[in-house]
Amino acid sequence: MSNRLVFDAAERVLWTGAQASLGVLVTDLAGLPMWWAAPVALALATGKSWVAGRLGRLGTASTLPASKDPATPSTTYGP
């Protein structure tokens, strides 16, 4: 497995875990039924993607730097 793929998978796992945890925390603190955790996490994921699309690598929702993002084309040398 390439390093870029590992970084991409790790980024997705970490963001998903953070969004799910925050969804549960927000619904618990607000006293809402637990089924609200999924829509809250979805809203967080949408917001994160929007921000990352403007601050991260342009054209993607990745927060990885271009050198680690699998969407970045590889540089080739020679003819």
Side-chain angles (χ1 to χ4, degrees), residues 16-79:
T16 300
Q19 292 156 358
S21 298
L22 282 171
V24 170
L25 179 65
V26 167
T27 50
D28 188 42
L29 290 175
L32 296 170
M34 195 50 65
W35 69 265
W36 275 99
V40 170
L42 177 63
L44 289 169
T46 303
K48 176 261 174 196
S49 296
W50 184 84
V51 169
R54 278 131 189 90
L55 299 178
R57 187 177 179 290
L58 293 178
T60 72
S62 177
T63 55
L64 291 172
S67 64
K68 306 236 184 282
D69 189 0
T72 303
S74 299
T75 305
T76 56
Y77 297 98

